[in-house]
Amino acid sequence: EQDLTNVSLRYASFSKETRWPPDFDGTKHALFGPGAVFHDEDLSGQELNGTDLHGADLTGCSLADAELVGVDLTGATLTKVKFYSADLTRADLSGAQLSHAAFSNATLVETNFAGATLTGADFEETDLSQANLTGADLTGCSYDDETRWPEGYTPPALSDD
């Protein structure tokens, strides 16, 4: 058995199959994996392709320019997360809480937002044409003439605020 007492595991990835020593608390080591918790941290540029982050809470974090290809964020709390220019190709955000998240210039090819809460999200200059928005709540979201929507999808009306 390894002694991890003085080992820095900050931002290391783990999965549900990872076996930890008894009484090990991964949240104290800032690990990326299912149920991870980070609040208001700058995680810009992180390479997390294929990471299992289902149920994670990343409230207020910046994931600008992050590599999130195929990441599992199902059921995650991603309120006010900044995904500026992040690559979310084939990411699964189904059922995620994404209120007031910002996706300007993000890559959202085959991104799954099914059943996600995207109220007040910012989609300005974002291509959603290949994203799955089935059952997603986009009430109060913002977008512009550069925003591209899936074929046949009618975006919510913009508010006059």
Side-chain angles (χ1 to χ4, degrees):
E1 186 172 300
Q2 291 285 7
D3 179 9
L4 301 175
T5 305
N6 294 313
V7 176
S8 174
L9 299 172
R10 187 160 179 80
Y11 302 139
S13 295
F14 66 95
S15 72
K16 61 185 174 198
E17 286 82 27
T18 302
R19 295 178 47 204
W20 297 108
D23 301 323
F24 181 81
D25 184 357
T27 60
K28 292 181 180 176
H29 292 274
L31 298 171
F32 287 117
V37 177
F38 294 91
H39 288 173
D40 302 311
E41 290 203 41
D42 184 0
L43 305 173
S44 299
Q46 290 290 323
E47 293 183 19
L48 297 171
N49 295 331
T51 301
D52 181 354
L53 290 167
H54 77 272
D57 182 350
L58 305 179
T59 300
C61 289
S62 175
L63 284 163
D65 299 307
E67 295 292 325
L68 302 166
V69 175
V71 71
D72 179 356
L73 285 161
T74 56
T77 301
L78 304 166
T79 304
K80 297 183 180 177
V81 171
K82 296 167 195 74
F83 291 102
Y84 304 129
S85 301
D87 187 351
L88 288 142
T89 300
R90 293 181 307 284
D92 189 351
L93 292 96
S94 58
Q97 170 55 254
L98 291 145
S99 294
H100 303 283
F103 292 93
S104 294
N105 292 307
T107 302
L108 302 172
V109 176
E110 298 178 20
T111 303
N112 184 10
F113 290 108
T117 301
L118 291 151
T119 54
D122 176 8
F123 291 109
E124 294 181 8
E125 299 180 22
T126 304
D127 185 351
L128 291 156
S129 65
Q130 296 180 53
N132 178 4
L133 298 173
T134 305
D137 181 358
L138 280 81
T139 305
C141 74
S142 60
Y143 55 92
D144 59 14
D145 292 339
E146 300 295 315
T147 305
R148 299 292 170 250
W149 299 97
E151 188 173 330
Y153 182 83
T154 303
L158 290 172
S159 64
D160 294 329
D161 295 348

